[in-house]
Amino acid sequence: QVQLVESGGGSVQAGGSLRLSCVASAYTYNTHFMGWFRMVPGKEREGVAMADIGGGTSYGDSVKGRFTISRDSLNFVSLVMNSLKPEDTATYYCAAAYVATMSPASINYWGQGTQVTVSS
């Protein structure tokens, strides 16, 4: 069982920036893709960004041009969030999968989540 541990998050005013980091306890084929989802109460988890070990990336439409994901090593992924908006407020979850996906159903491992709050 691979564990994902997030760090970062917090509170920021609109227009500000935050950085999230996630480290995996091990690399397996099920962590070939690592990235981030987010969730607000009453809504489904939304794919934010994913990166593979070769540097390929994908982004959700709502964050394109503002967020940047980096797969810094086999076991480490970071997310720099710029130009934050109040609608970015959510619990952000580190995620790992065998396939390139923005679907929560295809995720093999989840972190415990870290809160991001953006005030207007």
Side-chain angles (χ1 to χ4, degrees):
Q1 183 75 8
V2 175
Q3 294 184 331
L4 305 178
V5 179
E6 303 110 334
S7 60
S11 297
V12 67
Q13 289 190 329
S17 299
L18 285 172
R19 182 176 185 263
L20 305 180
S21 299
C22 175
V23 60
S25 59
Y27 171 78
T28 77
Y29 59 86
N30 282 328
T31 64
H32 186 81
F33 293 86
M34 289 182 66
W36 301 89
F37 282 65
R38 66 186 182 186
M39 188 170 68
V40 297
K43 294 188 178 181
E44 294 184 355
R45 290 192 190 196
E46 173 192 16
V48 174
M50 295 292 281
D52 65 33
I53 60 173
T57 60
S58 58
Y59 294 91
D61 289 340
S62 62
V63 306
K64 285 179 180 176
R66 299 188 298 121
F67 292 11
T68 303
I69 189 170
S70 297
R71 187 71 179 267
D72 301 302
S73 73
L74 290 178
N75 295 346
F76 189 87
V77 66
S78 60
L79 182 71
V80 175
M81 304 182 291
N82 294 322
S83 302
L84 282 162
K85 305 175 181 180
E87 50 263 44
D88 294 317
T89 295
T91 301
Y92 283 71
Y93 295 89
C94 184
Y98 174 64
V99 296
T101 182
M102 285 293 185
S103 170
S106 299
I107 296 299
N108 296 110
Y109 301 108
W110 293 101
Q112 291 187 327
T114 185
Q115 181 65 34
V116 171
T117 302
V118 184
S119 58
S120 58

